[in-house]
Amino acid sequence: MAPPLLEIRDLTKRYGGGLFRQPSPPALENFSLRFVEGEAKITTIAGESGSGKTTLANLSLDFIHPSSGQILYRGQDISEMSRRERFVFRREVQAIFQDPFGTYNPFYKVDAVFNTVIQKFKLTNERSERRRLTEEAMEVVGLRPNEILGKYPHELSGGQRQRIMVARAFLLKPRIIVADEPVSMIDASLQMRILEIFRNLKEEYGISFLYITHDLSTAYQISDDIYILYGGSVMENGDIEGVIQNPHHPYTQLLVGSITLPDPDVRWEGRSSSAASEDTAAINLNGCKFYHRCPHAMERCASGTPQDYSVTPSQTASCFLFE
Amino acid sequence: MSLTYILRRLGIFFLILWVASTLNFVIPRLAPGDPIAALIGEMEEQGATVENSAELINLFRERFGLDDPLPIQYLKYMAALARFDLGYSIRFFPATVSQIVAAALPYTIGLLTATSLITFVLGILAGALLVWHSTPQFGRAVITFFMMLAPIPYYLLAIIFVSVLAFSLGWFPYSGVVSVGRLAEEGFDFGYIVDLVYHSLLPAFSIIIAGVGGWVLGMRGMMVTVLGEDYLTLAEAKGLKDRRIFLRYAMRNAILPQFTALAITLGYVVSGATIVELIFSYPGMGLRLFEAINSNDFPVIQGITFFLVVSIAVAILIIDLIYPWLDPRITYSRK
Amino acid sequence: MTVAIESAPLLQIENLRVYYWTQAGPVKAVDDISFTINPKERFGFIGESGCGKTTTIMAILRLIKRPGRIEGGKILLKGSDILTLSDEEMRQSRWSRISLIPQGAMNSLNPVMRVQDQIADAIVTHRGAVPIRELRERIGDLLETVQLSAEVADMYPHELSGGMKQRVCIAMATALEPELIIADEPTSALDVVVQKAVMETLIGVQERLNASMILIGHDMGMTAQVADRVGVMYAGKLVEVAGTRELFRQPQHPYSQALISSLPSIREKKRGGGIPGLPPFLLNPPQNCLFHPRCPHAVAFCQETPPPMHRIRTSHMAACHLLSAPEQFDSAGESDGGVLGATKAAAGAEAPSGHQTR
Amino acid sequence: MTTAFMPETGPETAPAEESSIGTRGLRASVRYWLGNWKLSLGLAMIIGLTGFSIFGSYIVDFDLTKVAAGDFNARPSEKYLLGTDNVGRDVWALIIHGIHPSLKVGLIAGVLGTAVGVVLGVVGGYYGGSTDAVISTMADIFLTIPSLLILVVLASYIRTTTLEFTALVIAIFAWAGPTRLIRSQTLSLRERAFVPLAKLSGQSDFEIAIKQILPNLLPYIMAGFVGAVSGAILALVGIQILGLGPLFTPNLGMILQAAYEGAAIFRGMWWWWVPPTAALMIIFISLFLISLALDELANPRLRERAK
């Protein structure tokens, strides 16, 4: 088997917890995941707000440090990297963020986005080469350099800005791109175009994606596998086709049932919930996180933590129903 | 209102007092040579200029503990302050500093409380009206004019008022707090109060008129922001009456940051007001300060500063304790 | 789902135009649109952001702010034009006849007022003073209809979750039992599970009141599920209006086709999709058919003549030359057979291939 | 000291979007802002006054500002353009030689205060934590303490002999306003998504502070500077009116103090007190206009209103 590229082992993150403050409940708990060298894939991390998906993004980019567990890149713990190793890590693990405007410093033209990267990662010193690299990256994402370069971010549309961010990441020829809600602020008519670029990057350049989203429809379009998070824990994990078309965990069922289909003939499924049960703060801290909202809740769920049980060969659900 | 909030505000209250009094302690000792020793030396030489000067000098030595090491001096000084013991005035010995301050403080506090409140209320209202859509053009012009007075310091306005309204036109008295010949002993009757207010009018006007503009400016900025908020659009969609939207939705929210700003501008107001008092010979702290400066009466200078800082700190504490009542979000989150 | 069309529409918009006067000239945010909304009907608007959906509903409430102005047209509510009302008359009709569920419920509640006072504000303003006990009871009932407990009345907005705030907005919008409820992306800031629950609540309340509803949806899936009829807006123009099923099954305007086929779904995996190019810059829009620069079927004629609204069926209209002047495409087709083929496929009654359910 | 001059700050009043001068490019925005009447008028007034004073200093004899240089209490005439004061100093000469030193004090204290404010504000706002807690609490306390009074205590012990020294003393209080302003802006800029992006692009914290955050602070730095300058001049004049400034170096506060001491108003010697008052008014109003313009620059919603 090929060596792992990025390996996340039993990652847990709690915020707060200073000298006098109680540590808060974990934002992410015992999360594991692995990307393998030479097998590019798109992995979706899905969940509602407060599920810990953005915490995972920040941890895997080394913006924040885990409370326990490890993230290994090419076998090396990212929090203990040497300068040289960190340089490689930064170059090979890139990101695309949600807000396609906020990521730009309004003080600079969009060119600065490319120039900073080229300069800091010493891609080239030559002006003409710099231009060539930039143009190449822009063409990969379907932008015409002449229309874009020399402009300020506010002169471009949301879709253009987000594509520039993809081009910027591509410039570094990364192995993995962490995409945190990359299309949620983009018009529906453009979402698919951006996602299509992701798929191309995976297929043609072997770039893997950690696609973080709340939107299962877009996840279904491009990902290979998916983790469903609730309250910081994985509820269900597996092959995308299986999890979406045949969800096992009650929470996944609730999520999939809430997806609105652009088809007037296919009605919403699932049960309707009352105001009290939609409170995303209702996380059970002692046993199954989903206990308070679960329609199948059993007595043991209140205090016992379910393991990951295999429900199909390529799918596991963390629920006692499948023990 | 949570306990931690109150404790934190109290902490800030004492921090202000501590910083100000420490500055007061440190400053004299920064001076080249020791001004207090020099002063004492000067007094010893002149001997006769101050009554009972030998006694005063002894008191001074003891009080400043000039032979003690610095930390001991500091502790003695803080302990004395905690008892509001600020020593004796040099000029009016054996009067204590506290007595002198006590005589002047009511005037200053009275003048400042009244003017600060009036300025704040006028400024807030005018600032809000300035950007409200149904304010008539004439009203806006008047408010804009007052806004343009914002940069003019209190004391320049005071000078102009004295010269034009008091001196040239003679509409107002230009000094004192009551008419010459009218003494407080004659009775604290209605006529006395009218006279008192009459004498306070010009100083008050200078402070109010020079101060309103700043509030107009701050409130205008905040109102513009609030007017763009979603809850204002919804209030309009609800078909509420104009006045209600203005008061309960727009102003009510825009006022919150002004309230915080009120705490911060107090120091500035007090500084300005002391000079206004001087210009109008109004017998408050400002005038006493000036007299003390002219006679090198250091204990009085320090005492006045200390008492004014205490007053400001108390005012800020009150504002801070009122604030959570104005903003329900405060108990949960405040930077 | 489909409501029998009664003879008198509740709302009739005729040739409405709203311009924003910028220093560089007028931006035609809403340009000559007409549509009707029938009693008890849920009417959905779809289109890319900035196409004029929100401006349209703000015009219906007469809440267009400077530099925007309603330039012309009629907004007939039960036959009388609200654009001719005085400001005071308009104020009185707001909320009692037309209410709004705003876009960002997060920021739409006054942070320093209790929920109860904010709801009471609307009631007392329009219905006059009510005894406190009665008022409290009424508010408690309203909160109950949106599945909130009566305790919420005494809370401040910051003490509520996003979904609860949105429910409060719904309760508030129905307090005076208006004839028309306008919901501007009522669920876009909420989590998916909550979105669905809130939407169900909203529909329940609307049906109970027999009110009509205009729904602007960021989420077209939601619109497809909820609306009876849908209008498609593009660059300030209404390009297509149809019953929901017809529109999603057989969109006629090339823009509607592209928009609908670009939606991700968990029913099928698509490749490609999306609409090429960008929505026009409204200060300097393209001539006549605004969509022609992005349209796969565009011919020279599209730039020369504005496309009229073409009635395909009683309840289905679209503004495209393909439908109303196919001869133009035929003549163009003589020089280029490919266009004709594409045109016919697009104009045909068959749904585009990208839209079939499995 | 002059909080009233500062633009309303805080993330709630400065919408992140399109607020920064960067959105239109530095050169274009300079051109654009010179088209703003408040800015151009304010700049014109202050530059005009400075030029008048500096050039005038070469023409008008400095000796006329000395005691007994001319007649006492003379009315304005051809000989004495603005008359003389009660010790025979020529008011016209005093004004000309007195404006630029006053401005210099403002400049020194303003530059020092702003420099300290930028450093403390960026450090506190960007790094946060206990450093920030200390910095912001100290800034708030220094803003609340009536600085003029502390300055009075200081000046009464250390009788200042030169204006430069007075400027340094004033600078002790000039940092708090800018610190507070810059800190709150840094705090909101730090949350912008371009900060993590810069980190991903390999920039260090220091580079992010300098290259990403600082440029966007420009309007606030300028606003803080203008506020600090006018605060310093205000304090200088205040100290002098109380009789604690250098008494013989010509400057506006000293002229005013002499006029007050000499009862100029009650003796009808308008030529003595009106010119320094007017000069100070011009200074304060011009700085105010500039800060208004900067306020609009930092808060686009105000800009729309201003049209």
Side-chain angles (χ1 to χ4, degrees):
Chain A
M1 193 176 165
L5 188 63
L6 181 80
E7 196 178 1
I8 297 177
R9 283 189 196 156
D10 283 335
L11 205 61
T12 296
K13 174 69 183 176
R14 292 165 196 274
Y15 290 103
L19 203 51
F20 303 107
R21 261 167 278 165
Q22 292 275 330
S24 45
L28 188 70
E29 195 170 18
N30 295 330
F31 184 84
S32 300
L33 172 150
R34 144 198 284 246
F35 283 101
V36 176
E37 187 83 74
E39 285 175 33
K41 63 170 181 175
I42 299 181
T43 295
T44 293
I45 310 290
E48 296 173 280
S49 53
S51 63
K53 52 191 199 304
T54 296
T55 300
L56 176 63
N58 287 334
L59 284 165
S60 47
L61 292 169
D62 198 30
F63 286 165
I64 53 176
H65 303 297
S67 307
S68 68
Q70 283 178 307
I71 300 174
L72 305 174
Y73 187 70
R74 296 190 188 274
Q76 182 67 38
D77 191 326
I78 62 166
S79 57
E80 294 164 3
M81 279 182 161
S82 68
R83 254 183 100 84
R84 180 70 220 157
E85 286 164 334
R86 176 166 302 273
F87 184 81
V88 173
F89 170 72
R90 274 276 174 260
R91 181 172 169 161
E92 296 191 346
V93 179
Q94 275 296 323
I96 296 160
F97 299 115
Q98 176 176 19
D99 176 1
F101 188 68
T103 43
Y104 289 86
N105 190 332
F107 193 79
Y108 299 111
K109 292 177 181 167
V110 292
D111 312 36
V113 162
F114 297 100
N115 294 341
T116 309
V117 167
I118 293 172
Q119 182 213 330
K120 295 305 289 188
F121 289 99
K122 303 188 176 65
L123 301 185
T124 177
N125 281 326
E126 278 175 53
R127 218 186 147 77
S128 61
E129 181 64 6
R130 195 169 72 190
R131 176 89 187 179
R132 195 191 64 75
L133 283 173
T134 308
E135 291 185 354
E136 183 199 52
M138 295 181 83
E139 274 150 22
V140 167
V141 301
L143 289 172
R144 279 187 286 269
N146 296 339
E147 289 176 4
I148 306 291
L149 293 177
K151 288 203 170 149
Y152 282 95
H154 74 280
E155 298 174 288
L156 302 171
S157 75
Q160 286 175 320
R161 288 195 281 248
Q162 199 61 307
R163 269 192 268 182
I164 293 171
M165 281 295 135
V166 183
R168 174 204 159 278
F170 174 77
L171 195 62
L172 289 163
K173 305 287 185 307
R175 305 313 320 140
I176 296 173
I177 292 178
V178 178
D180 188 356
E181 300 271 16
V183 295
S184 66
M185 287 171 76
I186 294 191
D187 250 312
S189 58
L190 293 168
Q191 287 185 343
M192 286 308 291
R193 294 176 75 80
I194 305 256
L195 295 175
E196 188 67 26
I197 296 167
F198 288 6
R199 188 151 50 190
N200 283 341
L201 292 180
K202 181 191 86 171
E203 287 169 2
E204 285 175 33
Y205 298 91
I207 299 174
S208 287
F209 282 83
L210 193 62
Y211 176 52
I212 290 166
T213 186
H214 66 275
D215 180 1
L216 293 180
S217 314
T218 57
Y220 181 71
Q221 295 298 313
I222 58 160
S223 25
D224 299 296
D225 58 351
I226 185 166
Y227 291 76
I228 306 280
L229 287 184
Y230 182 77
S233 296
V234 176
M235 296 289 115
E236 189 158 356
N237 156 235
D239 170 59
I240 187 85
E241 199 68 36
V243 173
I244 300 292
Q245 301 301 350
N246 189 14
H248 278 71
H249 194 286
Y251 178 60
T252 317
Q253 288 170 349
L254 180 63
L255 274 187
V256 173
S258 305
I259 297 173
T260 53
L261 291 171
D263 185 339
D265 289 339
V266 185
R267 305 304 293 176
W268 265 333
E269 299 160 14
R271 74 196 177 89
S272 118
S273 67
S274 75
S277 72
E278 77 198 26
D279 187 359
T280 34
I283 292 167
N284 178 34
L285 295 176
N286 298 319
C288 174
K289 298 269 170 63
F290 190 55
Y291 173 67
H292 294 312
R293 292 172 70 186
C294 184
H296 307 288
M298 300 175 283
E299 204 174 304
R300 61 186 299 205
C301 304
S303 53
T305 307
Q307 303 299 306
D308 291 340
Y309 306 108
S310 287
V311 290
T312 72
S314 61
Q315 205 170 331
T316 62
S318 169
C319 177
F320 286 125
L321 292 174
F322 308 105
E323 192 173 6
Chain B
M1 206 189 308
S2 66
L3 189 67
T4 35
Y5 177 82
I6 297 176
L7 287 179
R8 185 187 241 142
R9 296 295 120 189
L10 276 172
I12 287 181
F13 172 76
F14 285 112
L15 215 53
I16 293 173
L17 294 189
W18 176 72
V19 170
S21 45
T22 303
L23 282 175
N24 252 352
F25 173 81
V26 172
I27 288 166
R29 285 160 182 81
L30 284 178
D34 189 331
I36 296 155
L39 187 71
I40 292 171
E42 203 177 301
M43 286 191 283
E44 278 170 338
E45 275 170 32
Q46 298 178 345
T49 51
V50 183
E51 241 180 289
N52 306 327
S53 67
E55 193 188 332
L56 179 63
I57 290 164
N58 279 336
L59 274 167
F60 254 78
R61 280 195 184 287
E62 194 186 315
R63 174 176 176 70
F64 283 92
L66 288 179
D67 307 322
D68 293 331
L70 219 55
I72 303 290
Q73 289 184 30
Y74 180 63
L75 288 178
K76 280 190 173 175
Y77 163 82
M78 292 304 269
L81 273 192
R83 282 177 274 117
F84 287 103
D85 170 12
L86 293 154
Y88 298 91
S89 160
I90 295 174
R91 189 173 164 211
F92 298 107
F93 186 79
T96 64
V97 172
S98 305
Q99 287 168 336
I100 291 178
V101 169
L105 199 62
Y107 292 109
T108 297
I109 298 286
L111 182 68
L112 278 181
T113 313
T115 51
S116 296
L117 286 178
I118 294 171
T119 311
F120 184 72
V121 171
L122 277 181
I124 295 301
L125 204 63
L129 283 171
L130 185 60
V131 288
W132 188 244
H133 62 91
S134 54
T135 307
Q137 209 57 43
F138 173 73
R140 272 180 220 205
V142 171
I143 296 168
T144 309
F145 171 74
F146 278 101
M147 192 173 89
M148 286 303 167
L149 290 179
I152 298 170
Y154 298 169
Y155 46 75
L156 289 189
L157 209 62
I159 290 175
I160 293 167
F161 277 5
V162 168
S163 115
V164 177
L165 298 179
F167 180 70
S168 301
L169 298 173
W171 290 352
F172 292 96
Y174 46 75
S175 76
V177 69
V178 284
S179 303
V180 182
R182 190 191 276 275
L183 295 170
E185 292 89 74
E186 283 175 17
F188 214 71
D189 58 6
F190 181 69
Y192 181 82
I193 292 170
V194 168
D195 201 35
L196 186 85
V197 170
Y198 182 54
H199 275 76
S200 308
L201 276 181
L202 263 199
F205 276 165
S206 333
I207 297 173
I208 292 169
I209 291 174
V212 163
W215 292 116
V216 171
L217 214 57
M219 187 67 178
R220 179 190 73 144
M222 201 55 221
M223 270 299 269
V224 168
T225 305
V226 169
L227 291 183
E229 295 284 346
D230 291 342
Y231 54 78
L232 236 88
T233 310
L234 191 67
E236 260 185 274
K238 270 156 86 176
L240 300 185
K241 291 188 180 125
D242 217 37
R243 172 193 297 234
R244 186 152 184 88
I245 300 177
F246 177 71
L247 289 175
R248 289 295 301 270
Y249 288 74
M251 250 189 97
R252 180 69 176 75
N253 280 287
I255 217 167
L256 296 175
Q258 313 310 317
F259 222 72
T260 333
L262 184 61
I264 285 176
T265 47
L266 274 180
Y268 167 69
V269 175
V270 169
S271 298
T274 45
I275 301 177
V276 171
E277 285 184 2
L278 165 66
I279 289 166
F280 287 98
S281 306
Y282 189 84
M285 307 281 264
L287 191 62
R288 295 284 165 264
L289 182 68
F290 180 70
E291 290 165 359
I293 290 170
N294 278 345
S295 53
N296 281 339
D297 199 343
F298 295 112
V300 173
I301 297 176
Q302 291 209 0
I304 286 174
T305 311
F306 177 73
F307 270 97
L308 284 176
V309 172
V310 173
S311 317
I312 290 171
V314 169
I316 289 168
L317 187 65
I318 293 172
I319 291 171
D320 276 342
L321 294 183
I322 293 176
Y323 194 77
W325 175 72
L326 283 177
D327 188 348
R329 288 162 296 186
I330 214 66
T331 11
Y332 294 83
S333 64
R334 193 184 189 190
K335 279 189 296 209
Chain C
M1 194 183 98
T2 34
V3 169
I5 295 161
E6 292 173 20
S7 49
L10 176 78
L11 186 74
Q12 259 176 295
I13 308 275
E14 287 174 12
N15 309 99
L16 180 69
R17 285 180 295 132
V18 183
Y19 294 178
Y20 284 88
W21 294 91
T22 67
Q23 282 174 333
V27 170
K28 300 178 178 178
V30 171
D31 194 16
D32 197 12
I33 68 171
S34 305
F35 62 95
T36 58
I37 290 171
N38 299 310
K40 303 181 197 174
E41 186 179 42
R42 291 193 290 267
F43 187 87
F45 268 121
I46 61 174
E48 288 165 288
S49 52
C51 64
K53 293 171 293 187
T54 298
T55 306
T56 305
I57 56 160
M58 283 319 214
I60 296 171
L61 282 160
R62 268 178 61 183
L63 286 176
I64 299 286
K65 292 278 162 58
R66 278 196 318 160
R69 217 167 65 196
I70 298 176
E71 291 297 316
K74 283 180 184 166
I75 301 176
L76 305 167
L77 185 64
K78 282 202 174 153
S80 67
D81 190 356
I82 62 166
L83 293 180
T84 60
L85 295 178
S86 73
D87 285 351
E88 177 59 20
E89 285 165 338
M90 187 61 216
R91 184 187 69 69
Q92 285 170 6
S93 356
R94 286 192 197 118
W95 221 254
S96 55
R97 303 191 66 191
I98 311 171
S99 72
L100 172 73
I101 297 167
Q103 196 161 18
M106 295 300 156
N107 307 316
S108 289
L109 295 172
N110 186 348
V112 298
M113 273 171 90
R114 289 178 201 277
V115 166
Q116 165 166 290
D117 297 334
Q118 304 200 35
I119 300 178
D121 240 0
I123 299 176
V124 172
T125 302
H126 294 281
R127 299 279 185 267
V130 181
I132 285 291
R133 272 197 47 197
E134 214 173 290
L135 198 61
R136 274 199 73 99
E137 222 167 89
R138 172 108 183 79
I139 290 168
D141 292 346
L142 279 169
L143 290 174
E144 201 182 306
T145 61
V146 295
Q147 282 107 51
L148 289 173
S149 72
E151 294 147 36
V152 170
D154 289 320
M155 293 188 179
Y156 286 102
H158 72 270
E159 299 172 272
L160 307 175
S161 73
M164 289 163 92
K165 280 187 221 177
Q166 195 56 272
R167 284 170 191 274
V168 167
C169 285
I170 294 171
M172 197 145 72
T174 52
L176 304 177
E177 310 195 340
E179 299 146 71
L180 177 64
I181 300 172
I182 297 175
D184 186 5
E185 301 203 5
T187 60
S188 62
L190 305 174
D191 272 321
V192 271
V193 177
V194 186
Q195 280 188 357
K196 184 187 170 195
V198 167
M199 203 63 211
E200 282 171 352
T201 304
L202 175 56
I203 289 170
V205 172
Q206 174 248 338
E207 284 177 349
R208 193 175 51 78
L209 293 180
N210 288 324
S212 302
M213 183 160 96
I214 299 180
L215 175 74
I216 293 186
H218 171 74
D219 179 352
M220 275 180 254
M222 181 81 80
T223 310
Q225 296 285 321
V226 165
D228 300 318
R229 278 195 308 139
V230 175
V232 183
M233 284 193 79
Y234 182 74
K237 298 260 191 199
L238 195 61
V239 295
E240 185 162 358
V241 187
T244 307
R245 174 189 291 255
E246 262 180 280
L247 185 86
F248 279 86
R249 289 270 175 232
Q250 298 166 356
Q252 296 298 311
H253 195 284
Y255 176 68
S256 316
Q257 292 166 1
L259 193 64
I260 288 164
S261 74
S262 69
L263 295 177
S265 158
I266 59 162
R267 293 287 154 184
E268 55 163 345
K269 292 201 182 181
K270 299 172 187 171
R271 300 225 65 154
I275 308 170
L278 299 169
F281 186 47
L282 287 179
L283 257 177
N284 184 19
Q287 292 296 302
N288 298 313
C289 174
L290 294 172
F291 188 59
H292 82 257
R294 300 169 78 185
C295 182
H297 315 299
V299 293
F301 183 63
C302 300
Q303 298 181 48
E304 290 156 8
T305 320
M309 208 33 130
H310 178 77
R311 190 176 288 272
I312 299 147
R313 234 159 276 145
T314 359
S315 63
H316 195 159
M317 293 187 290
C320 178
H321 289 306
L322 277 172
L323 306 163
S324 51
E327 69 281 4
Q328 294 300 326
F329 292 84
D330 287 339
S331 64
E334 279 167 13
S335 56
D336 182 358
V339 173
L340 182 63
T343 305
K344 286 196 167 148
E350 256 173 297
S353 57
H355 186 63
Q356 231 123 31
T357 35
R358 306 190 190 199
Chain D
M1 233 173 86
T2 55
T3 35
F5 274 32
M6 297 216 169
E8 266 308 309
T9 57
E12 70 276 18
T13 49
E17 258 81 311
E18 14 84 63
S19 69
S20 152
I21 42 169
T23 49
R24 57 181 90 235
L26 197 56
R27 201 178 301 160
S29 60
V30 166
R31 217 178 307 131
Y32 177 86
W33 284 102
L34 284 181
N36 178 299
W37 71 267
K38 287 170 196 142
L39 191 66
S40 18
L41 180 62
L43 282 175
M45 280 165 71
I46 195 86
I47 292 172
L49 197 71
T50 315
F52 161 76
S53 164
I54 290 176
F55 289 119
S57 301
Y58 289 103
I59 296 162
V60 178
D61 190 356
F62 184 76
D63 285 342
L64 292 173
T65 68
K66 291 181 176 161
V67 172
D71 302 336
F72 290 7
N73 303 327
R75 292 190 141 270
S77 62
E78 265 169 51
K79 190 174 174 200
Y80 308 110
L81 220 51
L82 282 174
T84 60
D85 69 5
N86 62 346
V87 288
R89 292 178 289 199
D90 184 297
V91 176
W92 173 245
L94 278 174
I95 291 285
I96 283 186
H97 288 281
I99 290 173
H100 65 85
S102 305
L103 289 170
K104 197 166 79 181
V105 171
L107 211 60
I108 294 173
V111 167
L112 288 176
T114 312
V116 174
V118 169
V119 173
L120 289 183
V122 171
V123 167
Y126 187 70
Y127 293 94
S130 50
T131 326
D132 179 43
V134 171
I135 290 174
S136 59
T137 311
M138 286 317 280
D140 275 356
I141 287 175
F142 267 78
L143 276 173
T144 22
I145 291 176
S147 49
L148 183 70
L149 297 183
I150 303 287
L151 291 173
V152 162
V153 174
L154 191 60
S156 61
Y157 279 103
I158 312 167
R159 290 290 172 150
T160 52
T161 43
T162 65
L163 273 177
E164 287 75 10
F165 188 75
T166 315
L168 291 181
V169 169
I170 291 171
I172 294 174
F173 281 91
W175 61 275
T179 300
R180 198 180 136 91
L181 182 67
I182 303 287
R183 175 187 167 269
S184 72
Q185 286 310 312
T186 308
L187 219 54
S188 75
L189 283 169
R190 187 184 66 171
E191 297 304 318
R192 302 273 290 274
F194 59 71
V195 172
L197 194 81
K199 233 178 250 184
L200 279 182
S201 304
Q203 290 190 322
S204 64
D205 275 349
F206 183 72
E207 276 177 292
I208 292 173
I210 300 290
K211 291 186 180 165
Q212 304 285 344
I213 293 191
L214 209 57
N216 288 296
L217 288 172
L218 230 61
Y220 301 95
I221 295 174
M222 290 190 285
F225 173 70
V226 172
V229 168
S230 67
I233 297 174
L234 195 70
L236 172 73
V237 177
I239 291 174
Q240 287 180 316
I241 288 185
L242 288 167
L244 289 167
L247 291 175
F248 298 101
T249 321
N251 72 76
L252 297 173
M254 160 258 188
I255 307 169
L256 217 49
Q257 192 267 337
Y260 173 75
E261 284 279 275
I265 291 174
F266 308 113
R267 294 163 71 184
M269 292 169 69
W270 57 267
W271 61 89
W272 194 1
W273 67 270
V274 170
T277 310
L280 282 170
M281 292 272 210
I282 292 174
I283 293 174
F284 286 121
I285 288 172
S286 62
L287 291 176
F288 174 69
L289 287 173
I290 295 171
S291 71
L292 275 188
L294 290 173
D295 214 1
E296 283 166 25
L297 175 60
N299 186 349
R301 289 194 199 166
L302 279 177
R303 202 185 304 160
E304 278 161 30
R305 292 263 159 182
K307 273 179 205 158

